[in-house]
Amino acid sequence: QVQLVESGGGLVQPGGSLRLSCAASGFTLDFYDIGWFRQAPGKEREGVSCISSSDGSTSYADSVKGRFTISRDNAKNTVYLQMNSLKPEDTAVYYCATDPSFRCLYYNDYDPAFWGQGTQVTVSS
């Protein structure tokens, strides 16, 4: 059974950091491009970042460039999202997602089939 489980969310003050994890079971992450997405209340879901399976190349939304870093640990079958210099506008539920056809090249224009349950990130003083 394919499963993605996010963890690491929480409440943090502006300027703080969090590291989100996306652990996979039922399949090997090595062969999949993995995307991080977020959805804030009353807003559409947006792509935040993506990491390629082929060469490890990464993509970021303009709003998080220079602050967020995506990485993968294939030995742990886990993808991470390191979030630094957090802002109140980063408050959202964060999800990781993938499927066999998902590619970072179009991660903002494609709806992956496999999603985790999400983890809440709240940035507030």
Side-chain angles (χ1 to χ4, degrees), residues 8-9 35 51 66 86 90 95 98 103 109:
I51 186 164
L86 282 161
D90 294 318
Y95 303 88
T98 190
R103 297 293 182 269
D109 301 314

Side-chain angles (χ1 to χ4, degrees), residues 49-122:
S49 184
C50 193
I51 186 164
S52 168
S53 60
S54 58
D55 60 2
S57 58
T58 58
S59 304
Y60 297 94
D62 287 343
S63 58
V64 307
K65 276 181 184 175
R67 300 188 298 121
F68 289 12
T69 303
I70 190 171
S71 62
R72 63 196 306 154
D73 185 336
N74 291 336
K76 295 184 178 180
N77 217 27
T78 300
V79 170
Y80 303 98
L81 186 68
Q82 177 67 44
M83 306 187 297
N84 299 329
S85 302
L86 282 161
K87 304 175 181 180
E89 51 263 43
D90 294 318
T91 296
V93 179
Y94 284 71
Y95 303 88
C96 59
T98 190
D99 71 36
S101 298
F102 177 69
R103 297 293 182 269
C104 289
L105 184 63
Y106 46 78
Y107 77 105
N108 264 313
D109 301 314
Y110 179 86
D111 190 15
F114 307 142
W115 291 82
Q117 83 289 350
T119 186
Q120 175 71 47
V121 171
T122 303

Side-chain angles (χ1 to χ4, degrees), residues 34-53:
I34 306 295
W36 279 100
F37 300 81
R38 67 186 181 186
Q39 188 161 23
K43 294 187 176 181
E44 290 189 358
R45 189 180 67 210
E46 64 171 332
V48 174
S49 184
C50 193
I51 186 164
S52 168
S53 60

